[in-house]
Structures are given as structure tokens and as C-alpha cells.
Amino acid sequence: MNEAAIIEFFAGYAYDPISVYSFIVLFMTASSFGLPIPEEITLLSAGLVAHMAHNPAEYPPPYPGAHGVNLTVLLIVCFVSVLGSDVLIYFLGKFFGQKITHTKTFNKHFGKERFEKINKIFHKYSYWACGLFRFTPGVRFPGHLSCGLMGIPVYKFLLIDGLAALLSVPTQVYVVATYGEVILSKLKEFKVILVTVLAVVIAFFVIKRLYHYILKRRAA
């Protein structure tokens, strides 16, 4: 998909606010259950859509009188969706934490060492760890799961995590909505970097598998 197609895709949803709000809620909820949709990507996309909706001269609506995404409503939807997904993970930890942390899938993706590190952070910073996990994407899910598992009162989790989300989520969306043109102008450059990184990762994976295959052949 080239840059024009990507911009056209986002611009199409800029004047379909109900779909945008619905997708944000859906993606945030789905990510709580392990769907690999990074929260930051969803917020970035929401900001770009809002930017296009507020610049109809450059990104014209599909028909006269079409209403674009409302930035204020978008900020509220993003905040509520993020906080709601965090609370959902919290309750998963509270009621099913022991079972989840002992599954092969959990240990494969997070590992016991990372979960033990999260527990140390929790014991060191106490309730403030709820907010700390919000700013650390790599441990966000197991961190919030740990908050429920460790029995942090739900009102304290809501207060601390809510404050952290209030500081980070609307800010991200607002900045992208305001300066989205810079991001769009760098889209081609970003694609080159992304393709390069993917190529390196794939090459590393192939070489690693080949190395292990050779070792097994020699051992046999």
C-alpha cells in the first residue's frame, strides 16, 4: 500500500465518526485479550483521522455537509477505552490471575522472569506501580494483571491508572491531531525504515533457525 492509499484510507474515516469511535473501543478491548494491536498505533491513527477531519481543504469530505470526527469526543472515547481496557485486565488478574500466569501462552510471551520483575516493581513502588505500568508498553499487560492479582483495591487502581491515562492518552491524540501533517509528510521515510527493520528481523530469524539446524545435524 503506497502513501496515497494510506492517506486515502484514513481520510475516508475522518468523516465517519461513529465507525472511528467504535473501532477505538473494539481495538482497545481486543488488545486486552492479547490481540497484537499496540495501543500507541490505535491512538496515532485516531489522531491522524482527527487531523484530516479538521483540514477539509486538504482532505475534502466525501459529500457536502459530511461531519468529521469531533476532537473533544475523540479524546474522551480514547481515554475511556484505554482506562476500560486497563480495568478489564485488572479484573482478569483479580479473578483469573493464578490460572493465567501458569499457562504456557503467558509464560511464552512474558516469561516468569519478567513477571517476577514486575512483582518487584510493585513491591517497591506499592500502589504507584499502577501508573508506572501505564507508561511501560512492554510490561503494561502483565503489570496491570499483577495489580489485580496482588489485590490492589479497585478504587486505588482506577485513581492512579486513571491519572496516568489522563496525562498520556489525550496528549498523544491531541499532538498528532494538531501536527499530523508532519507525520504524513514523513510517511514515506517511515516506510523505508520499517521495511529495513523487518528485513533485518527476518534475516536474523532465518540465520538463527539455520544455525540451530546445523548444530542438530552435527550432533546427530
Side-chain angles (χ1 to χ4, degrees):
M1 184 180 290
N2 57 34
E3 300 87 66
I6 294 174
I7 293 173
E8 184 179 352
F9 173 79
F10 282 114
Y13 283 101
Y15 299 95
D16 188 3
I18 299 301
S19 294
V20 172
Y21 305 148
S22 300
F23 280 139
I24 291 171
V25 174
L26 177 64
F27 289 160
M28 290 301 180
T29 303
S31 67
S32 301
F33 290 94
L35 194 69
I37 302 178
E39 177 184 299
E40 287 73 19
I41 297 299
T42 302
L43 297 178
L44 171 65
S45 301
L48 286 176
V49 166
H51 173 77
M52 292 175 174
H54 285 76
N55 291 275
E58 297 180 45
Y59 311 100
Y63 56 88
H67 295 286
V69 172
N70 184 286
L71 182 56
T72 301
V73 175
L74 183 66
L75 296 177
I76 295 172
V77 170
C78 288
F79 169 72
V80 173
S81 299
V82 166
L83 183 59
S85 66
D86 290 349
V87 172
L88 181 57
I89 296 170
Y90 166 88
F91 279 113
L92 285 175
K94 185 177 181 65
F95 295 110
F96 307 104
Q98 291 292 347
K99 292 182 179 180
I100 293 174
T101 55
H102 286 87
T103 61
K104 291 182 179 179
T105 303
F106 182 88
N107 289 318
K108 179 181 178 181
H109 286 85
F110 300 105
K112 292 183 179 180
E113 292 183 2
R114 185 183 296 185
F115 196 64
E116 289 174 359
K117 181 180 179 180
I118 289 170
N119 288 335
K120 290 180 180 179
I121 294 174
F122 170 75
H123 288 296
K124 182 177 181 179
Y125 295 100
S126 187
Y127 302 121
W128 297 107
C130 301
L132 182 63
F133 295 141
R134 168 113 294 280
F135 296 102
T136 49
V139 296
R140 187 177 295 153
F141 174 82
H144 289 154
L145 195 76
S146 175
C147 291
L149 183 62
M150 295 297 176
I152 292 181
V154 64
Y155 75 91
K156 289 187 177 181
F157 179 81
L158 279 170
L159 177 62
I160 298 172
D161 183 63
L163 287 173
L166 190 61
L167 288 172
S168 61
V169 175
T171 304
Q172 292 180 63
V173 178
Y174 182 80
V175 168
V176 175
T178 305
Y179 303 103
E181 197 60 40
V182 177
I183 297 174
L184 292 171
S185 67
K186 293 293 183 180
L187 188 58
K188 185 175 182 180
E189 181 181 334
F190 172 77
K191 283 181 63 180
V192 172
I193 295 174
L194 180 61
V195 170
T196 303
V197 171
L198 287 175
V200 172
V201 171
I202 292 172
F204 174 78
F205 177 78
V206 171
I207 293 172
K208 183 179 179 181
R209 292 296 296 270
L210 183 61
Y211 175 74
H212 285 297
Y213 174 77
I214 294 173
L215 288 180
K216 287 182 180 179
R217 293 279 295 180
R218 289 180 177 179

